[in-house]
Amino acid sequence: MAEYWLPDLHKLQRISCGYELRVLTQPDFRDLYIDAWSNALCKHRKESDVLGVGAYDNGILIGLAGCSADAENMWQIGIDVLPAYRKQGIAASLVSNLAMETIDRGKLPFYCCAWSNIRSAKTAIKAGFCPGWVEMTVKPTEVVNEMNK
């Protein structure tokens, strides 16, 4: 079960986080397909990762928001922040800045998280997004029973 978020153009603005922010493109992602950035980038669909914003502390990447071109005119945002840097507003800063960069390129950013991921939902709200739609996946009984063991 997932909730999808769209930007609220009355609330969306670039949020600062106190760290250096850099706009990244596909060539910059080459060495970033590691577990730390697995929500921001997808190593199985590298060709879809088109844009990102990274937060840097003294030149070290500490947070990354990435956009995948999931549709021609809609790019999905994913976010990762290193554990030591969480709860500082970095995620909302990266998401809001990436959303603005996406809009500047004529694309509609959207955000997705599991219904149970309260932190991620709070990031979406803080970044200037509002609920757009939900998705529910139906699985065979055998699969559900195995998951609940």
Side-chain angles (χ1 to χ4, degrees), residues 54-143:
Y56 292 81
D57 184 7
N58 294 314
I60 306 293
L61 183 63
I62 60 166
L64 177 64
C67 263
S68 60
D70 288 4
E72 183 178 340
N73 292 308
M74 292 180 72
W75 291 358
Q76 181 172 195
I77 295 176
I79 180 70
D80 287 295
V81 176
L82 296 178
Y85 290 89
R86 292 179 184 162
K87 298 183 181 180
Q88 297 180 42
I90 296 168
S93 173
L94 290 171
V95 170
S96 70
N97 279 275
L98 184 53
M100 296 297 286
E101 292 290 334
T102 302
I103 290 168
D104 288 348
R105 286 161 175 76
K107 305 299 180 184
L108 176 65
F110 69 99
Y111 187 93
C112 175
C113 65
W115 290 353
S116 59
N117 192 338
I118 303 301
R119 285 184 184 164
S120 191
K122 285 183 176 182
T123 293
I125 293 166
K126 187 173 179 184
F129 282 70
C130 60
W133 71 94
V134 296
E135 178 182 282
M136 183 178 285
T137 303
V138 177
K139 297 188 183 287
T141 303
E142 307 81 47
V143 173

Side-chain angles (χ1 to χ4, degrees), residues 14-91:
R14 292 179 185 272
I15 300 171
S16 176
C17 66
Y19 292 98
E20 175 192 2
L21 300 183
R22 296 182 199 165
V23 175
L24 307 171
T25 58
Q26 281 184 325
D28 301 310
F29 301 149
R30 186 180 69 244
D31 297 326
L32 300 179
Y33 288 98
I34 61 174
D35 288 346
W37 314 123
S38 63
N39 290 310
L41 301 173
C42 181
K43 66 182 174 184
H44 303 295
R45 298 183 314 124
K46 293 178 182 178
E47 68 282 353
S48 296
D49 293 329
V50 292
L51 187 64
V53 175
Y56 292 81
D57 184 7
N58 294 314
I60 306 293
L61 183 63
I62 60 166
L64 177 64
C67 263
S68 60
D70 288 4
E72 183 178 340
N73 292 308
M74 292 180 72
W75 291 358
Q76 181 172 195
I77 295 176
I79 180 70
D80 287 295
V81 176
L82 296 178
Y85 290 89
R86 292 179 184 162
K87 298 183 181 180
Q88 297 180 42
I90 296 168

